[in-house]
Amino acid sequence: MEASTLAITILWSLLFVYSILGSLDFGAGFWGMIYGKNEEKSASQIANRFLSPTWEVTNVFLVIFVVSVVTFFPFATTLLSNVLLVPVGLGVLLLTIRTTFMVFQHHADRYKDLLRLTSGFTGLIIPALLVSILPITLGGFVSFENDYPRLQYGELLTHPTLYMHILFGLSTELFISAIFLMDYAKEAEDWNAYDTFRKHSLWLGPVSIAIAMLTIGTFPGEASWIVDNIQEHWVAFGLSLLFFIIGYAFLFIRKKDGRRGLARPAVIMVGLQYAVAIYAYGAAHLPYLIYPDITIAEGFTNPDTFYQMLIVYAVGFGILIPAFFLFWRLFLKDRRYLKQE
Amino acid sequence: MDIVVMARALFGTSLGFHIIYATIGVGLPVMIIIAEVLHFIKKDPDYALMAKRWTKGFAILLAVSIASGTIVGVMISLLFPDFMEIVGQVIALPFQMEIFAFLIEAVFMSIYLYAADRLPPTLRLVSIISVALGATASAILITDVHAWMNTPAGFNITPDGEVTDVNTWAAFFNPSFGVTAIHVTLSAYMTVAFLVASIAALRLMRRKITKAERAYHKKALTIALYFGALMSLATAINGHETAQMLHEYNPRKLAAAEGLFETQRYAPLSVGGYTSLEDQRVKYAVEIPYGLSFLAGDRLDTEVMGLNEWPEELWPPLYVHILFNVMVGIGTVLILIAFIALFWKHVLKKEFPSWLLATLVVSGPLAMLAIEAGWCFSCIGRQPWTINEVLRTDEAATKSNSVGFLFYLFMTLYITLLFVTGFVMRYYFKRNPVRKDLDAREA
Ligand code: HDD
Ligand code: HEM
Ligand code: HEM
C-alpha cells in the first residue's frame, strides 16, 4: 500500500471510532435531557451513568483525529484551516461549554436543569457543525481570492445538501446511541430504560437509512465525481445495508423470557454497518481531501516521519489496551457500577 | 486590529487560560499521591480525606483543563497553518505521544474517580500514579514542541521554504528540551504546592474552627510547605541553567530579558525597572554588578551579547524584561516564604502568626502569576519568530478574516468560565466543608 493510502486509512479508522464514540456521547447527552424530568427517569440515569466516565476518553479521540490530520497531511493544513476556521472554531467553543457544564452538573445539583439542557442541546448542535464539514470537501464551496482559499458561506448556507448532511448526522447519532444504550440498559437489567431505547431504535433505524440515501441525491453538481465513485462501490454499500437489515431484525427476535430484541448482536451488526459504510465512503472520496484543490498525495508528510509516527501509534495503543480492558470491566461490565442507585 | 495581531492575541489568551488549569492538572495528582502515601504509612484518616477532597477539586478543574486543551490543540492548527506545516514534517512525534499520555491520564482518572470504592488500595495507588505520570508526560511532551520552536533542530529549510534532511530524533532532543522540560515540570509542582498552602492558610485564619479542622488543615499546610520549599529551590536552580541555555542558544532573548544593549564582559544584572529604548538601558533598576555575566556563564568575565548585535526589527518587545523579572522575583520571594514558614514551625516551634498566614494565602496566586509571566516571556521573547530564525510569526499566521469574530467569542467564553469554575468550586466546597466530612467520620 502507498504510505499516503495507509495514512488515510488510519485516519478513516480514527474517524470511525470517533463517530461511534461521539454519537454515543452526544446522543447520551440528548437522551439524558429528554428523560431527565419525567417519569421515565431510569432512561436518563442510564444515559448519564454511561456518560460520566467515558466523555474524557471520547474527547481524546477527537484530539487524536485532529492531530493525526495535521501531522499526516501537513501540506493540507493551510487549506483546511482557512476553510474550516469558523465551523471548527465554533465546534470546540460549544464542546467546551458542554464538557464543563456536564461535569459541573455533578457538583452543583441546584443548577442541574440548566446544566442538563446545555448538555442536551449542545449534543445536537456540535455534531451538526462537525458533519457540515463533509459537504465542504465535496467541491464547489471553496473559492480562491489572490491565491487565498475562502469558504463560500452564502452558497453553503443556501444549499440543501448542507441541511441533509446535518439531518443525516443527527439521525445517525441518535440511532447509534439509542441502540447502544439499549444494550447498556440490558447489562444493568434496567428493563424500563431498555424498552425506551428499543422503541427509539425501531423508528430511528429506517429513518437514518432513508435520510442517508436522500442525502446523496442532494450532492452539489461539482460532486458528480464522488457520486460516480459511490456507484462503483455499490457492493460495499450493499453489504452495509445488509448488516443493517440483519441488525434491525435482531431487534424483533423474542427471547425465552418473553422480551423482544437481541441487544448485543444488534449492536454488533450496526457497528459493522457503519464500519463498512465509512470505509466505502472513504474509498469513494479518494484521492481528494478537498475536491478539486488537494489530494492525499499532495498533502502527505514525508514517509520517514510517517513511519516513525506509526511506531508511536503501535506502542501507544499497545500500552493502552490493558488500560482499556480494565476500563471496560469497571464501567461497561461491572454490575456494581451499572446497577447502583 | 490586523488579522495577524488578532490571531496572536487569540492564541496567546487561549494558552494563558489553558495553562491555569493545566498547571493544576500536572501538580495536583502529585499532591494526591503524597497524601495517599502518607495515609498508607501513618494510617491517619485525615490524609485519606485530603486525597478525597483534592480529587473532587481536581475533577472540577480537569473538565476545564481538557476542554481548554482541546481548544488550543485545534486552534494551533487553525491559526498557524504554515507553522503546523513544518511541525507535521519535523516535530510531529511529541504531539502524537502526548495524546497517548492524555489517554492514559483520562482512562486512569475515570477509574480513580468513579471506581475508587471498588478498587483495592494498591490498584487505587497505581491509578493515581498513572494519572500523575500521564499529566507530567503530557506537559513534558508539549514543552518539547515549545523548546523546539526556541531552538529548532533536525531539519534544513531551502530558501523557498521546502523542508529537507529531516531527523526526527534530533528534533525531539533539541538543545533546550532537557532544561525546559524540567523547568516546566518543577514550576508546575511548586505552583500547586503553594496553591494548596494558600487554601490551608486561608482556612487556618478563620476564628470559628474546630480542633479537628485545625489539625486537618495544619497537616495539609505542612505537606504543601515541604513540597513547595523543595520544588521552588529546584525551580530556581534549574532556572539558572535555563538562563545559561538562552545565553548559548538564544542570546537575543536573554539580552531582551535583561535590557542589555551593548555586548560586554562583566555585565550587570538589572532587577526591576523598565527598558528604555531612547536611553538604551534599563531605567529605575537596581543593578547587581557582574550579575548577568555570572548568571550566563558562571564567571564574572563572561561576554554577554547585547541587542545592538541584531537589527532593531528583530528585537522582541522590550517589556519582556518586566515579565522576566516578575517570574524570577516571585520565584525568589516564594523560596523565602517557604523557608521562613518551615523555620517558624521547626526551629521556633511556634504557631504561625497571622501576617505569615496572610503571606501564605497570597503565595499560590503569586506562583500562578509567575507561570503566566514565564510563558509569556518565553513566547513573546521569541518574537518576531515563531520558529526561531526559521519562520516569522506574520508568515505563520492565518489570513482568514473571521479571526476577529472568534476572538471576541472566545474572550467571552474564558471570562465566563473563570467565574463559573470559581463559583462551582465555592458552591461545592461550601456545601461539603471539611467539618462535615470530619463529623461524618466521628459518627
Ligand atoms: C512558578 C513558576 C516559575 C518560577 C518561580 C520560575 N520560573 Fe522560569 N519559567 C517558568 C516558570 C517559573 C515557566 C512558565 O514554566 C517557563 C516559561 C517557558 C518555559 O519553558 O518555562 C519559564 C521560563 C524561563 C526562562 C525562559 C526559557 C525560554 O524562553 O526558553 C528562563 C531563562 C527562566 N525561566 C529562568 C528562571 C529563573 C532564573 C528563575 C529563578 C527563580 C525562574 N525561572 C523561576
Ligand atoms: C506547557 C504548557 C502545557 C501544559 C503543562 C499542558 C498540560 C495539560 C494537561 C495536564 C491537560 C489535561 C490532560 C488530560 O487530563 O487529558 C491538557 C490537556 C490538553 N492540552 Fe495542554 N498543556 C500545555 C500546553 C498545551 C498546548 C500548547 C497545546 C496545543 C498545542 C495543548 C494541547 C492540549 C490538548 C489538545 C488537551 C486535551 C487533551 C484531552 O482531550 O484530554 N496543551 N494539557
Ligand atoms: C501554556 C502556556 C503558554 C502561554 C501563556 C503562551 C503565551 C503565548 C503568547 C502570549 C503568544 C503570543 C506572542 C506574540 O505573538 O507576541 C504565544 C504565541 C505562540 N505560542 Fe505560546 N504560550 C504558552 C505555551 C506554548 C507552548 C507549549 C507552545 C508549543 C506547543 C506554544 C506555541 C506558540 C505558538 C505556535 C505561538 C504563535 C506564534 C508566535 O506568536 O510565535 N506556546 N504564546
Side-chain angles (χ1 to χ4, degrees):
Chain A
M1 204 191 289
E2 282 274 321
S4 59
T5 316
L6 182 57
I8 195 77
T9 310
I10 295 177
L11 218 56
W12 277 112
S13 311
L14 292 171
L15 183 65
F16 169 65
V17 174
Y18 184 68
S19 58
I20 296 285
L21 290 178
S23 293
L24 295 181
D25 187 288
F26 296 122
F30 175 76
W31 298 118
M33 172 179 86
I34 295 288
Y35 290 115
K37 262 223 122 64
N38 59 23
E39 67 287 358
E40 290 180 80
K41 222 175 162 78
S42 75
S44 142
Q45 277 172 359
I46 284 290
N48 282 326
R49 197 166 301 151
F50 167 76
L51 209 46
S52 299
T54 48
W55 67 266
E56 280 186 79
V57 176
T58 307
N59 191 70
V60 183
F61 271 94
L62 172 66
V63 178
I64 293 195
F65 181 72
V66 174
V67 169
S68 303
V69 172
V70 288
T71 52
F72 288 174
F73 297 101
F75 298 105
T77 34
T78 306
L79 179 62
L80 286 177
S81 58
N82 277 299
V83 172
L84 300 180
L85 179 65
V86 172
V88 176
L90 288 180
V92 288
L93 184 110
L94 290 171
L95 189 64
T96 303
I97 296 177
R98 169 188 168 77
T99 303
T100 47
F101 278 33
M102 220 166 59
V103 173
F104 291 168
Q105 148 184 340
H106 299 295
H107 299 275
D109 21 352
R110 182 141 59 98
Y111 301 89
K112 257 199 156 70
D113 285 343
L114 171 72
L115 299 175
R116 209 188 43 236
L117 282 182
T118 321
S119 107
F121 277 117
T122 50
L124 292 182
I125 302 172
I126 297 169
L129 276 169
L130 294 184
V131 287
S132 69
I133 295 171
L134 283 181
I136 298 174
T137 67
L138 296 179
F141 299 116
V142 179
S143 68
F144 283 80
E145 285 166 30
N146 336 317
D147 267 356
Y148 208 73
R150 298 234 183 270
L151 182 60
Q152 297 308 109
Y153 289 103
E155 254 153 72
L156 181 65
L157 290 175
T158 51
H159 202 291
T161 200
L162 174 69
Y163 301 97
M164 281 310 285
H165 272 87
I166 291 177
L167 269 183
F168 162 70
L170 294 185
S171 59
T172 308
E173 169 202 345
L174 294 180
F175 176 52
I176 292 180
S177 58
I179 199 163
F180 175 86
L181 287 172
M182 169 184 139
D183 184 38
Y184 196 66
K186 197 197 101 214
E187 282 290 330
E189 294 173 3
D190 182 334
W191 301 116
N192 200 350
Y194 177 90
D195 290 338
T196 309
F197 288 122
R198 179 172 172 275
K199 184 181 81 195
H200 288 301
S201 309
L202 286 182
W203 69 269
L204 279 164
V207 166
S208 67
I209 292 284
I211 292 181
M213 291 182 174
L214 289 176
T215 305
I216 297 182
T218 65
F219 279 10
E222 288 81 353
S224 60
W225 63 281
I226 194 168
V227 178
D228 292 344
N229 285 350
I230 287 176
Q231 278 159 1
E232 258 169 53
H233 287 83
W234 65 269
V235 182
F237 286 102
L239 190 64
S240 166
L241 188 63
L242 186 69
F243 281 128
F244 167 74
I245 293 172
I246 300 175
Y248 195 66
F250 278 138
L251 292 178
F252 292 94
I253 292 180
R254 198 182 282 281
K255 284 190 304 192
K256 282 198 206 79
D257 59 4
R259 242 166 239 301
R260 271 173 187 272
L262 296 179
R264 184 58 54 86
V267 167
I268 293 174
M269 284 300 144
V270 170
L272 285 173
Q273 171 204 342
Y274 281 101
V276 174
I278 281 188
Y279 284 111
Y281 184 80
H285 209 289
L286 289 180
Y288 295 103
L289 283 172
I290 292 188
Y291 178 86
D293 306 312
I294 195 155
T295 64
I296 56 166
E298 289 160 354
F300 192 54
T301 184
N302 65 45
D304 291 339
T305 309
F306 172 68
Y307 286 117
Q308 273 160 338
M309 292 193 262
L310 272 191
I311 298 176
V312 172
Y313 270 70
V315 175
F317 278 113
I319 295 174
L320 273 165
I321 284 172
F324 279 136
F325 181 69
L326 182 64
F327 191 81
W328 178 73
R329 283 267 307 270
L330 285 170
F331 299 114
L332 300 176
K333 206 69 205 154
D334 191 334
R335 293 270 141 85
R336 280 175 297 171
Y337 180 73
L338 291 166
K339 296 185 72 169
Q340 65 187 292
E341 275 316 300
Chain B
M1 269 198 276
D2 90 88
I3 294 173
V4 176
V5 175
M6 275 289 192
R8 291 159 69 179
L10 175 53
F11 191 62
T13 327
S14 300
L15 279 162
F17 179 77
H18 177 56
I19 196 64
I20 298 175
Y21 298 89
T23 301
I24 300 178
V26 172
L28 202 51
V30 179
M31 297 296 285
I32 298 174
I33 294 177
I34 297 179
E36 286 266 11
V37 169
L38 282 174
H39 174 236
F40 197 73
I41 297 172
K42 298 196 172 176
K43 305 278 179 264
D44 178 343
D46 273 0
Y47 292 114
L49 183 59
M50 233 172 257
K52 198 179 121 206
R53 293 179 62 85
W54 289 347
T55 307
K56 285 286 181 214
F58 184 48
I60 298 175
L61 298 173
L62 184 74
V64 191
S65 136
I66 291 181
S68 60
T70 309
I71 295 183
V72 279
V74 171
M75 205 89 97
I76 199 173
S77 319
L78 290 178
L79 295 177
F80 297 95
D82 291 27
F83 164 69
M84 286 311 277
E85 191 173 311
I86 301 181
V87 166
Q89 298 169 73
V90 184
I91 186 99
L93 285 195
F95 257 120
Q96 301 214 323
M97 292 179 185
E98 191 199 4
I99 293 174
F100 290 100
F102 286 145
L103 265 175
I104 291 179
E105 188 188 353
V107 167
F108 283 102
M109 194 60 219
S110 287
I111 293 177
Y112 187 76
L113 264 180
Y114 296 102
D117 42 343
R118 286 180 284 145
L119 292 177
T122 39
L123 206 53
R124 228 175 63 193
L125 203 57
V126 169
S127 306
I128 187 70
I129 290 177
S130 307
V131 172
L133 284 178
T136 300
S138 69
I140 290 177
L141 288 164
I142 194 68
T143 304
D144 189 14
V145 182
H146 170 79
W148 174 85
M149 293 162 66
N150 286 331
T151 54
F155 67 106
N156 281 319
I157 194 155
T158 62
D160 52 356
E162 198 184 325
V163 173
T164 57
D165 308 312
V166 174
N167 178 344
T168 335
W169 292 109
F172 193 99
F173 293 105
N174 63 77
S176 63
F177 172 45
V179 269
T180 310
I182 295 174
H183 196 58
V184 168
T185 310
L186 293 175
S187 61
Y189 290 172
M190 119 179 208
T191 302
V192 174
F194 283 105
L195 284 172
V196 168
S198 292
I199 295 172
L202 193 68
R203 294 285 179 260
L204 286 172
M205 284 175 79
R206 289 237 183 100
R207 287 203 201 293
K208 284 201 327 210
I209 166 173
T210 66
K211 235 171 140 183
E213 272 178 284
R214 183 173 288 279
Y216 171 89
H217 290 303
K218 273 186 161 171
K219 284 173 203 162
L221 185 55
T222 308
I223 300 182
L225 284 177
Y226 271 106
F227 195 54
L230 201 67
M231 288 300 134
S232 54
L233 204 57
T235 304
I237 295 170
N238 163 268
H240 178 67
E241 281 166 37
T242 314
Q244 298 191 332
M245 177 278 295
L246 286 190
H247 170 64
E248 198 175 336
Y249 293 101
N250 208 339
R252 194 174 43 98
K253 197 190 266 184
L254 187 64
E258 283 307 330
L260 190 73
F261 287 84
E262 288 308 324
T263 302
Q264 53 190 271
R265 290 170 191 277
Y266 308 105
L269 187 71
S270 314
V271 178
Y274 76 96
T275 315
S276 157
L277 182 61
E278 298 85 62
D279 303 326
Q280 298 249 319
R281 67 183 190 87
V282 183
K283 277 179 135 174
Y284 310 113
V286 179
E287 286 206 348
I288 304 173
Y290 316 131
L292 182 55
S293 281
F294 183 76
L295 185 71
D298 288 335
R299 291 170 58 102
L300 303 186
D301 63 352
T302 315
E303 189 176 62
V304 183
M305 291 224 245
L307 284 170
N308 290 336
E309 299 282 330
W310 295 271
E312 202 178 319
E313 66 270 16
L314 290 187
W315 294 359
L318 294 178
Y319 63 78
V320 295
H321 171 66
I322 300 174
L323 297 172
F324 185 66
N325 275 194
V326 167
M327 168 178 68
V328 178
I330 292 177
T332 316
V333 168
L334 290 182
I335 297 176
L336 286 176
I337 295 179
F339 280 93
I340 290 175
L342 287 176
F343 178 79
W344 218 275
K345 187 174 157 66
H346 289 293
V347 182
L348 302 181
K349 294 196 192 311
K350 284 202 281 202
E351 292 286 313
F352 291 151
S354 55
W355 65 265
L356 188 52
L357 283 176
T359 319
L360 285 170
V361 171
V362 293
S363 70
L366 276 182
M368 194 57 90
L369 186 65
I371 293 265
E372 295 280 358
W375 277 108
C376 290
F377 163 62
S378 191
C379 275
I380 297 174
R382 190 181 55 237
Q383 301 307 316
W385 303 103
T386 289
I387 304 173
N388 202 22
E389 318 215 338
V390 174
L391 182 71
R392 292 175 65 109
T393 306
D394 47 11
E395 300 164 336
T398 179
K399 314 286 180 299
S400 166
N401 43 17
S402 313
V403 176
F405 150 74
L406 287 178
F407 177 80
Y408 294 111
L409 267 184
F410 276 94
M411 286 316 111
T412 317
L413 175 77
Y414 297 144
I415 294 170
T416 317
L417 275 185
L418 277 178
F419 279 107
V420 175
T421 23
F423 172 78
V424 173
M425 291 283 269
R426 266 183 68 92
Y427 180 89
Y428 181 80
F429 285 106
K430 258 212 153 91
R431 289 217 146 176
N432 301 280
V434 180
R435 187 178 304 171
K436 199 166 121 191
D437 285 336
L438 289 171
D439 291 348
R441 208 171 66 203
E442 291 305 306

